[in-house]
Amino acid sequence: MTSIKHVGVVGAGQMGRGITEVCARAGLHVTLCDVTEDRARAGLTGVADALLKAEKHGAIGPEDRAHALAGISVTADLSRLSGADLVIEAAVEDERAKTELFQQLDKVVTNPSAVLASNTSSIPIARLAAVTGRPQAVVGLHFFNPVPAMPLVEVIPSMHTSRATEQRVRAFAAETLGKKTIVTQDRAGFVVNSLLIPYLLAAVRMVGSGTATAEDIDTAMTAGCAHPMGPLRLADLIGLDTVAAIGEALYEEYREQLYAPPPLLRRMVESGLLGRKSGQGFFNYQAA
């Protein structure tokens, strides 16, 4: 298997920054791409801040931090990813946006051995692979937030993904990045979100029906079930828009009501109350 040395990351948001950080810390050359140069540079600033925090906490040394930063370049030009060995899409959780991006990547990534991967939380990989001329080289590579701290990566081959592609990305995640990997069938939500999202939506329904406050629901699960974080703070961390989008994708796939985003969640998203990233969700983060 050809080794992976140059990784392209498309999307400089929270997940893209985390993926960029772990790849750079592993000694890889990373090209971080977003729709504008300013957004890509903002992503690099976020990675730099995270690396500095890791150094202060003793997780990495100053030389490691400097080496990781030196290995990252930023761009708004997708063609800069032409020679990448692996491109990881970490764009907004929207099927149309992702399929359009995969169409573009299929044209600009000219490395014949390149793998095109998606960090999607819920969209079937087959739909993304179908818009390319290389479905055998398309795979799901689902990281979890925060990427540097969370050990799991879901590897999702579609029906067309070659065994060699699957083995290559699994070895990359496990051996190069030091992650724990699982392989899951290409079904919306995969393993983690198929289990997690109904739980989060049930907590939202409890708030909407007045069963208990968000604070009390979270306390019930942390103090009563030993969960490290309550479902509503977790939803805020993920992003309420992302939770709603995953719920929609799961509902479209399975048509089961437990996956349908409840009205309260829809209204919060429509009102821009998205959780931590907007400063307000089920909890207030303005002063955090």
Side-chain angles (χ1 to χ4, degrees):
M1 292 186 290
T2 307
S3 63
I4 293 173
K5 297 179 179 178
H6 178 193
V7 178
V9 178
V10 184
Q14 192 172 40
M15 292 303 297
R17 295 176 188 187
I19 295 167
T20 297
E21 180 185 344
V22 297
C23 290
R25 284 172 64 168
L28 303 168
H29 170 49
V30 187
T31 302
L32 177 60
C33 183
D34 211 313
V35 292
T36 68
E37 194 84 24
D38 285 346
R39 288 178 64 167
R41 292 197 177 281
L44 178 59
T45 299
V47 174
D49 290 344
L51 288 169
L52 183 59
K53 186 178 293 186
E55 181 188 337
K56 288 179 177 177
H57 290 164
I60 58 174
E63 291 184 0
D64 293 329
R65 179 174 69 87
H67 186 262
L69 271 178
I72 304 170
S73 59
V74 297
T75 185
D77 182 3
L78 281 176
S79 67
R80 290 271 302 277
L81 306 179
S82 61
D85 303 305
L86 168 66
V87 178
I88 304 172
E89 168 273 311
V92 63
E93 191 69 5
D94 177 86
E95 186 173 335
R96 178 177 293 182
K98 288 183 186 291
T99 52
E100 289 177 357
L101 181 54
F102 268 78
Q103 287 176 319
Q104 292 177 283
L105 290 173
D106 191 42
K107 294 174 183 176
V108 302
V109 178
T110 56
N111 181 349
S113 64
V115 172
L116 304 183
S118 177
N119 184 58
T120 179
S121 304
S122 58
I123 298 167
I125 302 304
R127 297 180 189 172
L128 304 179
V131 302
T132 75
R134 57 181 109 181
Q136 75 285 351
V138 178
V139 68
L141 203 56
H142 182 213
F143 294 80
F144 291 82
N145 185 40
V147 178
M150 297 297 282
L152 183 67
V153 174
E154 289 180 315
V155 177
I156 309 103
S158 79
M159 291 182 174
H160 292 292
T161 304
S162 70
R163 180 68 173 162
T165 296
E166 178 188 328
Q167 291 176 331
R168 189 179 178 201
V169 297
R170 192 171 191 185
F172 166 76
E175 297 167 16
T176 304
L177 302 185
K179 297 294 188 181
K180 184 178 291 292
T181 64
I182 64 169
V183 176
T184 173
Q185 287 191 346
D186 188 19
R187 304 288 187 269
F190 319 127
V191 171
V192 172
N193 281 320
S194 290
L195 295 169
L196 176 64
I197 294 301
Y199 163 63
L200 301 183
L201 297 181
V204 175
R205 291 188 187 97
M206 281 188 166
V207 175
S209 67
T211 300
T213 65
E215 187 72 49
D216 283 351
I217 291 167
D218 274 16
T219 298
M221 298 310 295
T222 55
C225 293
H227 287 202
M229 181 181 292
L232 297 164
R233 285 195 186 277
L234 179 54
D236 277 353
L237 177 63
I238 295 169
L240 300 187
D241 53 340
T242 301
V243 172
I246 298 170
E248 291 282 7
L250 287 164
Y251 182 71
E252 180 187 345
E253 179 94 329
Y254 300 109
R255 295 297 174 183
E256 294 185 13
Q257 197 60 35
L258 78 166
Y259 294 123
L264 174 60
L265 182 61
R266 296 178 187 275
R267 294 298 89 76
M268 292 179 74
V269 172
E270 291 164 356
S271 301
L273 304 176
L274 308 180
R276 278 189 175 273
K277 60 186 172 186
S278 70
Q280 177 71 52
F282 286 99
F283 299 92
N284 190 325
Y285 304 93
Q286 300 287 356

